């Protein structure tokens, strides 16, 4: 995109920003719980960049001991081990001796922050698919791990694995909706010979049918169930029409040897609604529709009579030849991530509660051993300056919040909320937009953080909506606006308005047809919104350009819309300057806009977007801060920059910097991976 500035009177522009240096912010005080303090890391770094101010590394802010992919494996001496992966940067592969419950393997998985599955091949190797597209290989019980590299060109995320025959392993990928095969002698190959379903991005779940050598793959963001012959590449779809309005075939497990035919359990999802299908592989017919089960870990008893599964905090058994109503509760337990049967010992489970649970059906007795899972720093997902001047951060995937106090240099951690995409303040309250399924929360900072006492309190979960990145406080009216990205596979993000006095949430629906609302700001009862042509992942855009729109908060009507930067796919940031002009970023271009004249005043290229990159979906990129020193600071394309509003001179200050907020101390706070940094101009 060529650098260009629209013709505009320079004299007028130079007069547009009087008194920015005198702009003051009134600090508000509120009580936030201070228990669980952690000191600023000893290795915190402060440094000065000549002519640019001081940067300080404030250290990791949010930690979690969240485990996902798990499996039982035996080392070469026959010792049974429980393997799991704890999220972090980097994530760690953990191996525990099941007999002693001791951690005996702890290996960092470089360049990845998490893993969704683990699988053991028929020749005893443990394979680890990463959230960065790499496949790792590990011999159980050893202290070595090998990065085998990327599986298939262009595939940047790996989901399920399935062990085939003779040491081969199969894996599910994103964004090409493909299935790979790996064998130590053959390397990687694309056994589906391209996307399993044209136009889809995810192969989300995968199982291998030993009897036939076929693979069963679950696809999204529009649900498909595919039988794949990995030797020929032949693909056959068999999800019944009545379930094709769902988003994902999300998880699966195979139950071989059931009377009447091997069964496939498949969890299908749509928003917050989950169903578990029981499919007879002989007939390809759905025999039962069960509730929301932990499908991936479901396991058939050795006598092939009962399926064991967890659901809603309990272990259940069910005879698949009988109605689901006849399922029996066995014991209370956390949800199982994986199950394994041992001769004479019964059933073993690794649970989401970080436990190894053993249950012996013959005796009815059970044991629970807690795994010592270390807490690791997780990436920062959002940053905001709180009502009392402390800096709030939120954790990626595992959720949780860190609250940094600039006065003491200490951070407290607050647990309970999932992945927070956006935050905003109104008075003493903080509003959170939480993924998944469009959940909106409010926290009263005058009271203790206590999930059990509904503080934060769930306002509502919004049907059909997923990610609330954009939140703006309409202070004069006393309401809060949320801009939404819809659920997977859908277009059209809602504009939501919440009225705290009546606890009423109004869905203004898709104010901008077929676009997501990813940026919001407010001034004088007018809400300014920026859109992205992309909806939920897997939905194909129908619009060509991101737009700027104006919403009248008094009449609840859209009064204007325009394309501020021709060709840009998303308007990711909007901010009203002290002089009343609107600043924004669309694509890689910074623009200023006259609200009164309804026209773009200036455009400044921040970074170049190639034609190939222009087709990659974007919900969030840029952030802007109007600093009391008169300058405009921002982050975009993972760089911190400054703009002189009088001359529009643009300067890059720092790489590897994203998100941005202005503290009450007039310092800028931004993210670098798991660390919070401050910048003092």
């Amino acid at each position: 995109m060529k650098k260009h500035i629209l013709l505009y009177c320079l004299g007028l522009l130079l007069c547009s920003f009087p008194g920015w240096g005198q702009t003051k912010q009134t600090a508000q005080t509120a009580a936030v719980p201070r228990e669980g303090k952690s000191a600023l890391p000893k290795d915190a770094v402060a440094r000065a960049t000549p002519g640019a101010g001081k940067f300080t590394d404030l250290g990791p802010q949010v930690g979690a001991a969240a485990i996902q992919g798990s499996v039982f494996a035996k080392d070469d001496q026959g010792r049974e081990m429980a393997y799991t992966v704890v999220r972090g940067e980097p994530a760690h592969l953990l191996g525990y001796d099941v007999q002693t419950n001791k951690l005996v393997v702890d290996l960092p998985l470089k360049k990845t922050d998490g893993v969704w599955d683990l699988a053991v091949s028929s020749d005893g190797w443990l394979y680890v698919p990463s959230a960065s597209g790499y496949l790792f290989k590990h011999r159980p019980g050893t202290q070595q791990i090998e990065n085998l590299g990327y599986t298939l060109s262009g595939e940047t995320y790996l989901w399920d694995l399935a062990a085939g025959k003779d040491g081969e392993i199969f894996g599910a990928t994103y964004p090409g909706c493909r299935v790979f095969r790996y064998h130590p002698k053959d390397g990687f190959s694309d056994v589906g010979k391209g996307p399993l379903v044209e136009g889809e991005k995810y192969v989300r779940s995968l199982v291998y049918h030993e009897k036939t050598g076929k693979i069963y793959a679950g696809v999204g963001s529009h649900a498909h169930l595919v039988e794949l012959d990995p030797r020929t590449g032949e693909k056959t779809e068999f999800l019944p029409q009545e379930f094709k309005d769902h988003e994902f075939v999300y998880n699966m497990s195979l139950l071989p040897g059931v009377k009447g035919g091997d069964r496939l359990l498949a969890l299908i999802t749509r928003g917050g609604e989950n169903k578990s299908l029981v499919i007879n592989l002989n007939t390809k017919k759905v025999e039962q529709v069960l509730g929301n089960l932990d499908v991936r870990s479901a396991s058939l008893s050795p006598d092939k009579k009962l399926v064991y599964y967890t659901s809603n905090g309990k272990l259940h058994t069910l005879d698949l030849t009988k109605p689901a109503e006849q399922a029996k509760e066995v014991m209370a337990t956390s949800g199982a991530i994986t199950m394994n049967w041992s001769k004479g010992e019964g059933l073993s489970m690794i649970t989401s509660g970080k436990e190894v649970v053993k249950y012996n059906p013959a005796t009815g007795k059970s044991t629970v051993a807690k795994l010592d899972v270390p807490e690791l720093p997780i990436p920062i997902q959002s940053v905001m300056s709180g009502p009392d001047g402390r800096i709030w951060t939120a954790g990626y995937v595992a959720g949780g919040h860190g609250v940094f106090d600039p006065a003491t240099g200490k951070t407290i951690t607050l647990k309970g909320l999932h992945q927070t995409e956006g935050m905003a303040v109104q008075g003493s309250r903080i509003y959170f937009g939480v993924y998944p399924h469009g959940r909106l929360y409010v926290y009263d900072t005058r009271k203790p953080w206590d999930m059990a006492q509904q503080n934060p309190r769930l306002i509502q979960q919004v049907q059909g909506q997923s990610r609330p990145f954009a939140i703006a406080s309409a202070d004069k009216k006393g309401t809060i606006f949320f801009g939404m990205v819809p659920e997977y596979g859908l277009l059209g993000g809602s504009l939501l308005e919440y009225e705290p006095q009546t606890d009423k949430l109004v869905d203004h629906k898709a104010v901008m047809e077929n676009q997501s609302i990813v940026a919001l700001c407010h001034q004088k009862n007018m809400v300014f919104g920026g859109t992205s042509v992309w909806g939920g992942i897997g939905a194909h855009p129908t619009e060509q350009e991101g737009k700027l729109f104006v919403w009248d908060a008094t009449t609840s009507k859209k009064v204007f819309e325009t394309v501020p930067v021709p060709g840009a796919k998303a308007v990711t940031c909007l901010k009203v300057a002290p002089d009343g002009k609107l600043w924004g970023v669309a694509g890689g271009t910074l623009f200023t806009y006259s609200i009164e004249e309804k026209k773009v005043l200036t455009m400044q290229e921040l970074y170049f977007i190639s034609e190939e990159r222009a087709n990659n979906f974007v919900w969030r990129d840029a952030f802007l801060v109007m600093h009391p020193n008169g300058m405009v600071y921002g982050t975009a394309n993972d760089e911190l920059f400054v703009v002189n509003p009088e001359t529009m001179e643009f300067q890059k200050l720092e790489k590897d910097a994203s998100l941005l907020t202005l503290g009450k101390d007039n310092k800028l706070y931004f993210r670098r991976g798991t660390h919070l940094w401050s910048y003092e101009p």
Side-chain angles (χ1 to χ4, degrees), residues 489-554:
L490 299 179
L491 293 172
S494 288
L495 179 66
L496 308 172
E497 184 177 6
Y498 175 66
E499 188 176 274
Q501 297 299 321
T502 61
D503 195 30
K504 182 180 179 182
L505 183 71
V506 177
D507 187 346
H508 297 299
K509 303 298 181 182
V511 170
M512 300 297 289
E513 189 174 1
N514 295 327
Q515 300 211 21
S516 298
I517 299 174
V518 295
L520 288 175
C521 67
H522 173 268
Q523 186 188 57
K524 297 179 181 178
N525 278 332
M526 303 301 273
V527 176
F528 304 95
T531 71
S532 170
V533 301
W534 287 277
I537 298 177
H540 299 285
T542 58
E543 305 297 312
Q544 300 301 312
E545 296 168 306
K547 293 183 179 182
L548 163 67
F549 71 90
V550 182
W551 179 266
D552 190 323
T554 304

Side-chain angles (χ1 to χ4, degrees), residues 160-162 170-172 179 196 203-219 224-230 234-239 249-255 262-266 279-284:
D160 274 7
L161 294 182
F170 297 97
V179 173
L196 259 61
V203 176
R204 183 58 185 81
S205 52
L206 203 69
V207 294
Y208 176 78
H209 193 204
E210 186 175 357
K211 186 183 297 183
T212 62
K214 301 288 181 65
I215 288 171
Y216 294 100
V219 170
H224 297 264
L225 185 55
V226 180
E227 181 185 73
L228 169 67
D229 187 332
E234 181 182 0
K235 298 180 277 283
T236 306
E237 292 196 42
F238 63 100
L239 184 67
V249 177
Y250 197 80
N251 282 330
M252 293 192 296
S253 62
L254 193 63
L255 306 174
D262 296 346
R263 303 306 202 275
L264 181 70
L265 276 182
I279 302 172
N280 189 317
L281 290 179
N282 284 350
T283 63
K284 300 295 194 299

Side-chain angles (χ1 to χ4, degrees), residues 201-422:
K201 291 183 176 295
Y202 291 87
V203 176
R204 183 58 185 81
S205 52
L206 203 69
V207 294
Y208 176 78
H209 193 204
E210 186 175 357
K211 186 183 297 183
T212 62
K214 301 288 181 65
I215 288 171
Y216 294 100
V219 170
S221 297
H222 305 90
H224 297 264
L225 185 55
V226 180
E227 181 185 73
L228 169 67
D229 187 332
R231 315 304 163 189
T232 66
E234 181 182 0
K235 298 180 277 283
T236 306
E237 292 196 42
F238 63 100
L239 184 67
Q241 186 65 37
E242 62 187 292
F243 302 112
K244 288 188 176 180
D245 61 346
H246 285 65
E247 296 166 1
F248 284 89
V249 177
Y250 197 80
N251 282 330
M252 293 192 296
S253 62
L254 193 63
L255 306 174
V258 179
K259 184 179 179 181
D262 296 346
R263 303 306 202 275
L264 181 70
L265 276 182
L267 179 72
I268 57 173
T269 64
R270 181 174 56 192
E273 177 190 11
N274 297 338
K275 300 174 184 175
S276 303
L277 308 182
V278 181
I279 302 172
N280 189 317
L281 290 179
N282 284 350
T283 63
K284 300 295 194 299
K285 302 293 185 183
V286 174
E287 295 180 331
Q288 289 195 64
V289 179
L290 309 178
N292 184 15
L293 317 180
D294 297 314
V295 163
R296 186 165 61 174
S297 59
S299 181
L300 201 61
S301 59
D303 62 9
K304 309 298 183 183
K305 293 181 179 179
L306 298 175
V307 58
Y308 282 72
Y309 64 89
T310 55
S311 178
N312 297 320
K314 292 182 174 65
L315 176 66
H316 299 258
T317 62
L318 174 65
D319 183 339
L320 290 179
T321 64
K322 297 179 180 179
E325 291 75 17
Q326 296 187 25
K328 296 180 180 179
E329 294 182 5
V330 175
M331 60 178 288
T333 182
S334 301
I337 302 174
T338 188
M339 292 186 182
N340 185 57
W341 291 91
S342 300
K343 190 174 181 179
E345 295 187 11
L347 180 66
S348 298
M349 300 182 289
I350 301 174
T351 74
S352 58
K354 300 182 282 290
E355 304 159 329
V356 172
V357 177
K358 293 187 175 184
Y359 171 73
N360 192 325
T363 64
K365 294 182 178 179
S366 62
T367 61
V368 179
K370 194 74 175 178
L371 297 177
D372 182 17
V373 177
E375 183 171 288
L376 298 179
I378 59 175
I380 294 172
Q381 178 69 359
S382 51
V383 175
M384 182 201 65
S385 181
D388 63 350
R390 293 194 281 179
I391 307 302
W392 284 69
T393 55
Y396 175 65
V397 179
H401 293 81
V403 187
F404 174 78
D405 190 338
T408 64
K410 295 180 179 179
T411 298
I412 62 169
T413 57
L414 302 172
K415 306 291 187 179
L417 292 187
H418 290 165
Q419 180 177 312
T420 296
E421 308 284 39

